Amino acid sequence: MADRDFDAAFARSLGQAFGTLIAESGKKLVSVGRDCRLTSDKYAAALAEGIRSTGVSVVDIGMCPTPLMYFSLFHWDLDGGIQVTGSHNPPEYNGFKMLLNGRSVFGEEIQKLGRRAADGEWSEGHGSVEQVDILDAYVNRLVQDFQGGDFRVGWDAGNGAGGPALEKLVAKLPGEHHAIHTRIDGTFPSHHPDPTVEANLADLKALVVQKGLDFGIAFDGDADRIGAVDAKGRVVWGDQLLMILAEPVLKEQPGATIIADVKASQILFDHVAKIGGTPLMWKTGHSLIKSKMKETGAPLAGEMSGHIFFKHRWYGFDDALYAAVRLIEAVAQSGKSLTEIMDEMPTSTATPEMRFPVDESRKFAVVAEVLHRLSSNGARVDSTDGARVMTDDGWWLLRASNTQDVLVARAEAGDEDGLNRLMAQIDEQLALSGVERTEGVGH
């Protein structure tokens, strides 16, 4: 939590550690952006000052969506970048998303940065800080090779950092556009800024239905997560979006690898194979997905959490604004409405994403215990990220969250009875490890 778990002094030391990494690689220029949270200004200023003190110069791109910070590295050929953002979390949270030499900084690299910051191991120098507005260049790039699609679309920016970019984007798109909650407000007064939780889409659903729009699109607090609803107000979940977006990509690149995380529906993986792609299930987490994309050369990847990654005609990072542009294209190229696409989509009976608290010291241990018992019983298990168990009814998943002290579960079956049997298996395994499943929220 901001100002409890870290403060501006920490942000400065993080900047010093990050700047030192840049300087040691012989590089000298990075970008710093921030979202609209009330603590983001002071953290970004402290971060930039820390970086500058190592001899590395900073391009201050101001308040912006996280994808714009990513874009700045490619647009200006920068050596690294940091976005101060709490992403989809409540307003009292904040954090840092980092890129170094075009790739995410995560895992052991983050631990190394933390140790460096704590130990005061950093370079000294006199870099500069220059404020530059890149918003117009970013929006122009979003539509640079737009391939058409004239629809009536509703948009919900959730009072997040993507609001100004959205207003400029819709002015450049054909069709009729109705955007709500584009006014930036770091307290997020309209609703929680996470479009992957259905309750947060209520305003967008009402807008689409009341105005008779073709569909609606929503963003999270820093506009790297996308959510969508069709004309009937039905949610188009992350794996369903990926099914739609994969079609035109695979027409251009038959046989290409399409990556989705372990929480995605089996329907998605089967569909990708059916339309000529190579489906690949991978670990949840935007940094992990991006690394796997580079390794495999995949042109497209996505997560249930609404992170969509295009390398096809884009840069390989998660960008909800660009995913929205590509969704408009994909629906247009299908020759159908989004509602018709949803009507024809295979269905299953699935739970939302269930999250329930567990002690930090136990969350990975519980998953390990479950995996051990299942392997001893000869179950069909994919251990890519936690335990994804296949049965005759369908599948269920249990994994530890990367960022919170919670276990995450999900299940999908052909019918309600099958789903109940899968849930009973989850509860049985949890009980054997001394954990009780409580009701969670989210999808």
Side-chain angles (χ1 to χ4, degrees):
M1 188 177 294
D3 289 343
R4 185 194 71 182
D5 299 323
F6 58 87
D7 56 14
F10 170 83
R12 189 182 194 281
S13 63
L14 176 63
Q16 289 171 297
F18 186 78
T20 299
L21 272 184
I22 295 288
E24 287 178 350
S25 66
K27 308 294 180 63
K28 288 294 181 184
L29 189 60
V30 302
S31 62
V32 170
R34 63 187 185 276
D35 70 10
C36 58
R37 290 162 194 269
L38 304 186
T39 54
S40 291
D41 281 1
K42 66 179 179 182
Y43 291 158
L47 187 71
E49 175 57 28
I51 294 171
R52 186 201 63 76
S53 72
T54 67
V56 173
S57 293
V58 174
V59 182
D60 178 358
I61 55 176
M63 187 180 296
C64 62
T66 294
L68 189 148
M69 185 277 287
Y70 296 152
F71 169 76
S72 72
L73 271 68
F74 298 92
H75 183 66
W76 286 320
D77 192 25
L78 302 181
D79 306 313
I82 302 184
Q83 177 82 355
V84 179
T85 178
S87 191
H88 60 283
N89 292 301
E92 63 270 21
Y93 286 81
N94 218 327
F96 307 89
K97 292 180 179 177
M98 295 175 276
L99 282 183
L100 183 63
N101 297 323
R103 57 181 176 77
S104 294
V105 179
F106 67 99
E108 177 54 32
E109 280 190 307
I110 284 185
Q111 300 301 320
K112 183 179 177 182
L113 268 178
R115 289 192 294 269
R116 231 179 196 170
D119 296 341
E121 297 177 4
W122 43 65
S123 306
E124 292 186 6
H126 300 284
S128 63
V129 178
E130 180 185 7
Q131 295 181 340
V132 182
D133 186 351
I134 193 178
L135 182 57
D136 286 337
Y138 169 64
V139 174
N140 287 337
R141 180 63 184 88
L142 287 172
V143 298
Q144 179 178 300
D145 58 358
F146 179 61
Q147 296 180 1
D150 187 341
F151 296 103
R152 302 177 67 240
V153 185
W155 304 79
D156 184 349
N159 299 114
L166 173 60
E167 290 181 336
K168 286 178 176 287
L169 173 62
V170 298
K172 293 178 177 293
L173 290 172
E176 178 184 328
H177 300 275
H178 301 265
I180 58 174
H181 308 324
T182 58
R183 179 178 60 86
I184 286 178
D185 187 333
T187 66
F188 306 113
S190 302
H191 56 73
H192 183 73
D194 183 357
T196 63
V197 176
E198 187 164 4
N200 300 330
L201 296 172
D203 291 353
L204 181 64
K205 288 181 179 184
L207 174 69
V208 168
V209 172
Q210 287 168 8
K211 293 189 176 294
L213 305 179
D214 296 315
F215 51 90
I217 297 171
F219 305 139
D220 72 337
D222 65 334
D224 61 1
R225 287 184 176 210
I226 185 173
V229 299
D230 71 4
K232 296 179 181 178
R234 291 177 297 188
V235 178
V236 187
W237 297 111
D239 48 5
Q240 295 172 323
L241 284 169
L242 197 56
M243 288 171 67
I244 297 166
L245 295 168
E247 295 256 3
V249 173
L250 288 171
K251 283 179 181 175
E252 286 195 26
Q253 297 185 22
T257 298
I258 306 294
I259 301 173
D261 74 328
V262 295
K263 293 185 287 188
S265 168
Q266 189 60 39
I267 291 172
L268 163 64
F269 297 106
D270 294 344
H271 179 74
V272 168
K274 180 181 177 182
I275 61 175
T278 304
L280 176 62
M281 186 187 302
W282 196 238
K283 300 174 183 179
T284 294
H286 68 94
S287 300
L288 299 166
I289 293 284
K290 279 183 271 198
S291 294
K292 198 64 176 177
M293 286 183 78
K294 283 196 172 186
E295 178 189 324
T296 60
L300 175 64
E303 295 183 280
M304 282 301 298
S305 57
H307 291 274
I308 303 291
F309 312 77
F310 274 97
K311 183 63 176 175
H312 181 252
R313 292 166 43 201
W314 199 240
Y315 304 98
F317 57 77
D318 41 335
D319 185 336
L321 289 141
Y322 185 68
V325 170
R326 293 295 292 264
L327 178 62
I328 292 170
E329 280 188 15
V331 174
Q333 291 172 21
S334 75
K336 304 171 184 175
S337 68
L338 181 57
T339 302
E340 288 170 331
I341 293 172
M342 289 294 290
D343 286 342
E344 296 171 6
M345 198 167 279
T347 59
S348 63
T349 303
T351 68
E353 179 180 301
M354 300 170 288
R355 305 169 72 87
F356 40 98
V358 65
D359 188 84
E360 170 72 22
S361 65
R362 284 286 292 152
K363 68 177 185 179
F364 290 107
V366 168
V367 174
E369 291 163 10
V370 171
L371 280 169
H372 177 72
R373 285 192 295 266
L374 291 170
S375 62
S376 302
N377 296 338
R380 288 179 287 160
V381 185
D382 185 312
S383 58
T384 298
D385 184 5
R388 179 163 165 146
V389 184
M390 301 292 296
T391 79
D392 291 340
D393 286 316
W395 61 273
W396 59 268
L397 171 73
L398 183 71
R399 61 178 293 273
S401 168
N402 295 322
T403 56
Q404 296 174 291
D405 297 342
V406 298
L407 289 171
V408 178
R410 190 164 187 248
E412 178 183 49
D415 55 37
E416 199 68 40
D417 289 341
L419 189 65
N420 289 335
R421 286 190 289 270
L422 295 176
M423 293 304 301
Q425 291 180 35
I426 295 175
D427 290 340
E428 177 188 11
Q429 288 296 329
L430 289 172
L432 289 170
S433 287
V435 177
E436 181 180 0
R437 176 173 58 86
T438 54
E439 291 298 318
V441 296
H443 188 282

